[in-house]
Amino acid sequence: MFDCVILAGGEKNELVRQEGVANKALLKIGGKEMVRTVLDVFRQIDEINKIVLVGPEKELSFLKGEYPVEILPESNSLMGNLVLAARFLGTKNYLLISSSDTPLLSTASVTDFIRQCLPLDYDFYYPIVAKEESEKMFPGEKRTFIILKEGTFTGGNLFLVNPAHIEPLAPSVEKFLECRKNPVKMASLLGTGFVFGLLMKRLSLSQLEERASNLLQIKAKAVISSYPEIGFDVDKPSDLEIIRRKMYALNKGGGE
């Protein structure tokens, strides 16, 4: 069994102001809030036990009457939210962690990810999607890709984590997030040799996993997913436009 944490916090950005909602999770796609889509997926998966939603409690409280979910007020950071959720759950079950802004997430994509993580020999699992798969569903969409020996990949929006490591990991992850937009600091954190290998496209997937494991002092594993929707989130107005076009096409039963 797994417990689930859905992250719905964050500051208001251009997208939220444009759409006139209190929280990004409440943006509507096809007449339904994105957070509802995510909740609908997770409550259909038999392996999931408890679901915790972390975000602005007042704005999200209406969901409690419809879903088997506990709502926790957000802290001031992503890792702070995860620590709060892990403490609240107090479980030894692995935590399936998801963002709330993935409106194409499906039971098939989540179930496949979970299946590939078994038998839980690692502490941290992260899905990646090949560029070819991503471009089949989102042709021309700008994504952040990393080139490795095995191919070109983008990251997903799910994590599966051993809860015993969440609180000890918090300082390291926060430091990594602070450095992610500063190449000099990032190189210092990851090591110049590793960064050079990455830039020169010489690294393998196993080397990437090894560096992440050593950096975080855990056993980390990347999971290759064939479901591109697992990597699409809505961060900016252009993402919203793409997803609304996609949903319209799907509802009409045709292509883009």
Side-chain angles (χ1 to χ4, degrees):
M1 295 294 288
F2 305 94
D3 289 323
C4 179
V5 178
I6 301 172
L7 300 173
E11 298 178 357
K12 288 188 177 181
N13 58 15
E14 177 189 358
L15 181 58
V16 171
R17 289 190 290 270
Q18 171 187 294
E19 294 296 308
V21 293
N23 181 275
K24 186 169 67 167
L26 301 177
L27 283 171
K28 289 189 176 182
I29 309 291
K32 183 165 74 172
E33 295 91 345
M34 290 194 292
V35 67
R36 285 184 190 268
T37 298
V38 177
L39 283 166
D40 284 338
V41 167
F42 288 129
R43 73 172 174 179
Q44 294 180 60
I45 297 174
D46 293 337
E47 293 86 354
I48 292 178
N49 181 26
K50 296 179 180 178
I51 302 175
V52 170
L53 179 62
V54 187
E57 194 172 17
K58 182 179 178 181
E59 285 82 356
L60 299 172
S61 60
F62 72 96
L63 295 165
K64 288 198 69 172
E66 301 176 43
Y67 296 92
V69 61
E70 294 290 342
I71 300 175
L72 299 182
E74 62 184 317
S75 71
N76 59 359
S77 71
L78 182 149
M79 284 307 297
N81 289 341
L82 288 181
V83 169
L84 284 173
R87 287 177 178 174
F88 175 83
L89 287 166
T91 180
K92 292 184 180 179
N93 291 336
Y94 270 60
L95 300 185
L96 183 63
I97 300 164
S98 171
S99 63
S100 60
D101 58 353
T102 51
L104 290 178
L105 198 66
S106 64
T107 54
S109 60
V110 176
T111 300
D112 176 75
F113 174 61
I114 290 174
R115 179 186 59 79
Q116 291 200 66
C117 293
L118 298 176
L120 302 180
D121 293 327
Y122 292 79
D123 302 307
F124 178 90
Y125 295 88
Y126 178 58
I128 59 175
V129 179
K131 184 177 182 180
E132 295 81 6
E133 295 289 343
S134 181
E135 292 190 338
K136 284 179 187 176
M137 180 172 279
F138 306 106
E141 161 65 3
K142 292 183 179 179
R143 302 288 298 166
T144 299
F145 292 99
I146 182 171
I147 301 175
L148 301 171
K149 288 181 179 179
E150 294 86 351
T152 304
F153 300 94
T154 188
N157 294 290
L158 289 178
F159 306 88
L160 191 63
V161 186
N162 182 338
H165 293 283
I166 288 180
E167 200 152 350
L169 276 176
S172 297
V173 174
E174 291 286 7
K175 186 176 181 181
F176 181 84
L177 293 174
E178 289 173 7
C179 295
R180 70 188 187 281
K181 294 184 180 180
N182 187 314
V184 175
K185 288 184 178 180
M186 184 60 75
S188 174
L189 184 64
L190 295 175
T192 53
F194 179 85
V195 173
F196 180 76
L198 193 59
L199 293 174
M200 297 301 293
K201 307 170 188 177
R202 294 177 180 173
L203 291 183
S204 67
L205 187 54
S206 61
Q207 287 174 307
L208 194 63
E209 291 170 336
E210 182 181 7
R211 186 67 187 109
S213 297
N214 291 337
L215 187 66
L216 299 174
Q217 294 297 296
I218 58 171
K219 292 172 65 180
K221 180 72 174 176
V223 173
I224 299 176
S225 173
S226 59
Y227 292 87
E229 60 267 35
I230 214 169
F232 188 91
D233 56 352
V234 179
D235 281 328
K236 51 189 183 296
S238 59
D239 295 333
L240 186 60
E241 181 181 347
I242 289 168
I243 206 67
R244 282 178 171 163
R245 285 205 314 267
K246 175 68 68 176
M247 293 299 292
Y248 177 78
L250 289 173
N251 290 334
K252 295 286 285 186
E256 292 273 26

